[in-house]
Amino acid sequence: MNQNYIIPNEWSIVEEGFDTTKVKSSESLFSIGNGAMGQRANFEEDYSGDTFQGSYIAGVYYPDKTRVGWWKNGYPEYFAKVLNAPNWIGIHITINGETLDLATCKKVTNFRRELNMKEGWLARSFQATLPTGMEVKVNTKRFLSLELEEVGAIEYTVTPVNEYATIEFSPYLDVAIINEDSNWDDKFWEIVSTSFDEKQAFIHTHTLKTEFHVCTFMESKVFIDSQKVYQVPVKKISNSKIAFTYKVEVAPTEKATLHKFAGYTADRNYRKEELVIAAQKTLEKAVNMGFNDLLELQKQAWLKIWNMADIIIEGDVKAQQGIRFNIFQLNQTYLGTDPQLNIGPKGFTGEKYGGSTYWDTEAYCIPFYMATKDQQVARNLLEYRYHHLDKAIENAEKLGFKNGAALYPMVTMNGEECHNEWEITFEEIHRNGAISFAIYNYYRYTGDYSYIPEKGLEVLIGIARFWQQRVNFSTAKNKYVILGVTGPNEYENNVNNNWYTNYIAKWCIEYALESIEKVKTEYASDYERIMAKTNLSEAEMLHMKDVVKNMYFPFSEKHQVYLQQDGFLDKELITVADLDVSQRPINQKWSWDRILRSPYIKQADVLQGFYFFEDHFTDEELERHFDFYEPFTVHESSLSPCVHSVQAAKLNRMEQAYTFYLRTSRLDLDDYNKEVEEGLHITSMAGTWMSIVEGFGGMRVEDNILSFEPKIPKQWQGYSFKVNFRGQILKVSVDQYDTKFELEGSKELEILVNNKTVIVSPNNLITV
Amino acid sequence: MNQNYIIPNEWSIVEEGFDTTKVKSSESLFSIGNGAMGQRANFEEDYSGDTFQGSYIAGVYYPDKTRVGWWKNGYPEYFAKVLNAPNWIGIHITINGETLDLATCKKVTNFRRELNMKEGWLARSFQATLPTGMEVKVNTKRFLSLELEEVGAIEYTVTPVNEYATIEFSPYLDVAIINEDSNWDDKFWEIVSTSFDEKQAFIHTHTLKTEFHVCTFMESKVFIDSQKVYQVPVKKISNSKIAFTYKVEVAPTEKATLHKFAGYTADRNYRKEELVIAAQKTLEKAVNMGFNDLLELQKQAWLKIWNMADIIIEGDVKAQQGIRFNIFQLNQTYLGTDPQLNIGPKGFTGEKYGGSTYWDTEAYCIPFYMATKDQQVARNLLEYRYHHLDKAIENAEKLGFKNGAALYPMVTMNGEECHNEWEITFEEIHRNGAISFAIYNYYRYTGDYSYIPEKGLEVLIGIARFWQQRVNFSTAKNKYVILGVTGPNEYENNVNNNWYTNYIAKWCIEYALESIEKVKTEYASDYERIMAKTNLSEAEMLHMKDVVKNMYFPFSEKHQVYLQQDGFLDKELITVADLDVSQRPINQKWSWDRILRSPYIKQADVLQGFYFFEDHFTDEELERHFDFYEPFTVHESSLSPCVHSVQAAKLNRMEQAYTFYLRTSRLDLDDYNKEVEEGLHITSMAGTWMSIVEGFGGMRVEDNILSFEPKIPKQWQGYSFKVNFRGQILKVSVDQYDTKFELEGSKELEILVNNKTVIVSPNNLITV
């Protein structure tokens, strides 16, 4: 564990004491977002210390020119970067003419931050002694409204401690913004127009190249001890900045307060000519409601989210804080309302990793959104890929595939590949499998087959074609092989016959063939439309069947396990337990070649296959593979502990499952990977949910039946969660003695609990 | 063959006719150099068309900041780039006030270039009609002096055809120079001082970061019809440029001539405070001799080089031109006098590829320099690596090796690694083998063992230690394996048990152990010194012996060949003959993953091992491996055809050997790889020499005896070459009937010709 300064609390993330070395970490951890925009926990007032400023708008990106040492054919020319957006939070503050800046204060005491997850707001308070000796107390609160998704609201209060003070608040908008993580010193934003009146200010900007238009806006109000002060601000307009200055004089212990309402209107929602007008209307709404009413609505909106998504853990505050932090951040990032958006790996908390969509969405996030929201949300995530099918086909063509074979990008914003390491971009092709699997998983969980004939089958066919063309027949093995891939374990590159890849490739082809049959029988007109569009031939299907029948899977007779790849057993098989701790994390200590030839596994690889296709293997097989591979696993991916937690729980290894759970749920809070400064690991947060619901709760869907095998870590007195299963909400509560089920719905639900059938009827508490 | 405009000529490279699309190619092909500096064949006068300007100074480089998409631990921070140096050739010319610029002339006729390889000069002539109608004839000649290695001399003559003309020659120095091939828009050169007098001009510059100091200088003289014109030039000094203007008036058919003497003094040879004074002295010497005398000395110096290095081919002008072009360029690049220098892959003809030293030096160039120069030259090349041993040990430490294990860089200028693709930098480790092999090869060829106890053994031990640590024991194979390498065939990356790498690794350890024994017995004090310095332990040596005994070599029972790597037989084994030509060259047509999983071989890999260790294998084995691998070889490396030519000749496949020979010898002249614009492939030129001497001549050294098995392609009437064998010069002449040997030396030489012993006595022609 690398840092341990976040104070355990069931509903809040709390920091106490001002430590300049923690500023950037806290800026990530205390980030706020509302699905449409997000904001790192930068200070509103000036701060001359080390900081990483970040404001982000959903779907707004920039095509940063790709930079590589040695160009390879097929690399994307541009890398879609999450774009740092104009600053809307800034408030320059002077007290008796002195600038408030925590980096230059003589003394800062009682510093406290709180990210209240239950209600969705961030607060900060401190007492500061300014360079000249003046003492003030400061209290701030801010949130990004769920009610008005374009609006952020800030309450900023300064209270002089023992002297009269003239306080100047200068709330401002600043569009001279750069990205920390840019390849070239490109300018991203250009101003279209700047406008203002007595109260409101607007800067309409557009991004170069991608031509996203955004209007950043603000309006503020001032109060003394909650009493509104009517004042026309002094305006200062520069090239890229508008500041309005309000001046108030207060006695000791009198509170000078500014309410700033600000945010963005974006052309995702309006015609670009209307952005300023839309901003005016939005500001009017927000200002009319006022800070307190908006905050009240914020609490109600979060209550609604928590009502469906909350997981309660009794008797373990850190575990409780961890799971809520994960659920909160996932909801801050993606609310599922817009099929143009997706779940960026850092959400709105940083810029590292370009693009917004990885296989993480399908492999880790969809189960969370399926169970905690309306099924349309998961369907939107599937449709996102359907909209990108043509680009996936183009992408495969660049790599020499033809005839409609589709390779989805490793990383994307608009369907185009953004990544440019050959061993990932061209070889980590298993990602295609997760996209087919998500289609299957959606149907399995929701029971909604309609997506497949409507859209999913085209995707399944494109992906099956890719695999059919990507295999080659090895005369030496008399089987189809898949050469030169990177599996989920990115600590091996360009290996042959990665078992996971071969397995999911075969499954993708099988599932496509099976779906074609079913659609042919049950959705004849869809079938005709799709066959006409895809031109899938009998010969192709015959070859696909041959590939399914003759796919090669590396297997060790000695160990009775599937091999991660052909060469795995030639490695020096020293387990992680026997590896000197000074050598870890190996991705920071070792050169890449050493990592590659080591047996160390970054994240579940063979075990990822056992996770997806759990019902294809016996518990004994799972145990054998878990015991073979986990000891070599260094879990240096944020996506690793969750799968292992689920499997450890399945194997009744509750201590191990609990350890993995803590690691996944507190990865960022405790900064295991020493990089939380750069932003949070949003997508892996869904894995935490998975650890509890699928791991401890043992929730599965098999043969259309929802089943549970609840277990409980000894550190917990109890836990409970809800799942939306086919439109009905089932609450599951587990303690050391029994499990309770309660159904909000209209129909009885037949479930399996520890392999026994249980009927749950609506609004009756069932104890098992 | 991609271009075919160079006119066949036994001693010259000739181009006729002005074609703007060929300018950049010709700038490469007509480059001149003298080992200390080099100059692309840029025009002296202004040229506003497409051009690639290049002047280079031996050993002067710049640490360009490494640019990669995704950083890996152990990557070098800087990439040593060959640096474009100040322009010394420039002569701005106006004729009646009109600038001479071939790109703007109304008409250009009788354009001709000649690179005279026999005498070492470049000439150009043309007749041009200027935009206003004025017609002039222009004749230029220039060379980089072998006598005064800091001096280049230019004779530039303008003759008006039918009008009186005022001709202004403005020779200049220009230090505002950039690199075409730079990662960042860095400035490389900074001016220290600018100075001049009535005749001479100097700009003292230094490079940023590397702090190389260079003084660029010039002095010129003007003539009318060979009659010297005394004139004080008009000076124009700007920030980065000095121009002296000379004005002459000439009648039709009268010749206005400028002689410009210019070049560089560098701090490789002087203290930096003395550079300007040294330049003055150098200029005085050059100007005193004058253009014609210096040219005479140039001819004599080249005569000396050719006297030793020339290969004569009778009856095949293109083949003759090819081999001479290669020998000429090698000598222009490296003359072997300075152990700080080495043979850059592009010599002084372009900037592509950073660094100056690749394994090419040991694998391809040393044999050429051993046979055509004094043995000190090859020894200097070995010492270059000895001087870099400490850095090779540091380099290995970065990758986790210890205890004095040495990994020489893939690319270097000063001993530090310059390359930054993990699959090359970290994994193409076979390069280490060539460095040990060169030490052995030097001894085998020259008979001079002294290098090993003096210096070589330390290198052999460092390399042996690397291999001993790099292997791991595979319990599955019960052998030592080498995982995750790139072999000489760079079209496979991160493969296991590349046969060539395993073989040379084993050999390196064996040869180190054997050398330790010999030095222990015969050079006791060296032995003690080296053992004290290296701390080689008994345990290490025991482990080394075990590795030698139990190294794994992949072998196919079915095909009875060693396998290029473990997975080779799983590939789709379609030969190059069956590959659609539209798909080639695959490195331009295919994405990297497709190349990697294909069976196509870039350059000799297993066969490179058969080349180095020829006497370890029977002819039948060679034939079997050649027949197995060559059909998959695409020869997309300039280093490929030569090895195959040698082996085809050995197998008596003379047509094939001849085809490979032409491809290696005319690679650049005929621009097979469509990239000659970027510069020439200097190091592979040694392979052409190898094709004739080792291939057709069948020259080998085995058991201390020089042997020949001469053969002749049917296109040739005869060929002859000389070799310096242990201080005696043996001339070998081969025609369709017999082979003649003639020895310049003092002792009889026993040689083997077609396995029969022949005694050659000095100055007697022996016919076999």
Side-chain angles (χ1 to χ4, degrees), chain A residues 67 69-70 72-73 184 419-423 470 472 474 477 493-494 570 587-588 590 596-597, chain B residues 67 69-70 72-73 184 419-423 470 472 474 477 493-494 570 587-588 590 596:
Chain A
R67 163 176 293 181
W70 302 88
K72 303 270 193 282
N73 293 326
W184 312 80
H419 198 95
N420 51 31
E421 290 175 299
W422 63 263
E423 64 275 18
R470 183 56 169 77
N472 72 273
S474 161
K477 293 199 161 64
N493 294 152
N494 195 48
D570 277 337
N587 69 11
Q588 287 173 26
W590 287 4
L596 292 180
R597 68 180 177 274
Chain B
R67 165 176 294 183
W70 301 90
K72 303 272 196 275
N73 292 326
W184 309 81
H419 197 95
N420 51 30
E421 290 177 298
W422 63 264
E423 62 276 19
R470 183 58 167 76
N472 72 271
S474 161
K477 293 200 161 60
N493 294 153
N494 195 46
D570 278 335
N587 68 12
Q588 288 172 26
W590 285 4
L596 292 181

Side-chain angles (χ1 to χ4, degrees), chain B residues 349-367:
Chain B
T349 70
E351 298 157 14
K352 212 187 165 189
Y353 306 118
S356 76
T357 314
Y358 290 64
W359 73 296
D360 306 22
T361 292
E362 282 77 13
Y364 296 90
C365 299
I366 279 183

Side-chain angles (χ1 to χ4, degrees), chain A residues 577-593:
Chain A
D578 289 330
L579 176 66
D580 195 304
V581 284
S582 70
Q583 304 295 298
R584 298 181 61 191
I586 61 171
N587 69 11
Q588 287 173 26
K589 301 295 174 71
W590 287 4
S591 64
W592 194 243
D593 60 315

Side-chain angles (χ1 to χ4, degrees), chain A residues 303-318:
Chain A
L303 187 65
K304 244 194 209 160
I305 293 172
W306 285 116
N307 188 37
M308 184 60 228
D310 191 24
I311 292 181
I312 295 165
I313 296 175
E314 288 161 39
D316 188 339
V317 179
K318 289 187 100 170

Side-chain angles (χ1 to χ4, degrees), chain B residues 400-572:
Chain B
F401 297 87
K402 53 196 181 187
N403 212 10
L407 175 61
Y408 279 90
M410 191 68 203
V411 182
T412 192
M413 190 61 94
N414 64 355
E416 286 166 14
E417 177 62 83
C418 289
H419 197 95
N420 51 30
E421 290 177 298
W422 63 264
E423 62 276 19
I424 305 292
T425 311
F426 301 152
E427 297 207 340
E428 199 174 337
I429 52 177
H430 71 77
R431 61 190 184 246
N432 240 9
I435 290 162
S436 290
F437 185 81
I439 294 172
Y440 158 75
N441 202 15
Y442 170 80
Y443 163 56
R444 177 170 69 164
Y445 191 85
T446 65
D448 171 22
Y449 196 77
S450 70
Y451 180 71
I452 293 180
E454 275 175 38
K455 294 175 173 165
L457 185 56
E458 289 175 51
V459 173
L460 295 174
I461 288 172
I463 289 174
R465 276 177 154 155
F466 171 81
W467 291 120
Q468 172 230 329
Q469 293 173 34
R470 183 58 167 76
V471 300
N472 72 271
F473 192 76
S474 161
T475 48
K477 293 200 161 60
N478 204 26
K479 289 274 182 191
Y480 288 98
V481 294
I482 304 185
L483 305 182
V485 303
T486 293
N489 168 30
E490 290 172 328
Y491 286 177
E492 292 189 315
N493 294 153
N494 195 46
V495 296
N496 295 336
N497 297 308
N498 168 257
W499 177 82
Y500 172 80
T501 304
N502 288 23
Y503 198 84
I504 206 162
K506 168 179 175 283
W507 177 87
C508 285
I509 299 175
E510 258 179 324
Y511 189 62
L513 291 171
E514 187 185 313
S515 302
I516 291 165
E517 276 312 303
K518 187 170 159 92
V519 171
K520 186 178 182 177
T521 320
E522 299 174 23
Y523 302 82
S525 75
D526 286 312
Y527 176 79
E528 309 245 315
R529 176 181 52 78
I530 294 166
M531 288 301 121
K533 188 170 172 188
T534 58
N535 272 315
L536 188 70
S537 69
E538 277 303 319
E540 276 179 285
M541 287 197 277
L542 270 176
H543 185 226
M544 284 183 186
K545 283 172 193 161
D546 195 43
V547 173
V548 166
K549 209 169 133 194
N550 291 300
M551 181 69 91
Y552 175 71
F553 298 108
F555 185 78
S556 163
E557 289 297 335
K558 179 175 167 195
H559 301 281
Q560 287 291 304
V561 295
Y562 289 108
L563 288 173
Q564 191 164 285
Q565 46 99 355
D566 281 352
F568 192 79
L569 287 184
D570 278 335
K571 295 186 168 202
E572 198 162 30

Side-chain angles (χ1 to χ4, degrees), chain A residues 146 485 670 714:
Chain A
L146 292 180
V485 303
D670 294 335
K714 73 174 170 21

Side-chain angles (χ1 to χ4, degrees), chain B residues 305-317:
Chain B
I305 292 171
W306 285 115
N307 188 36
M308 184 61 227
D310 192 24
I311 291 179
I312 296 165
I313 295 173
E314 289 162 38
D316 188 339
V317 180

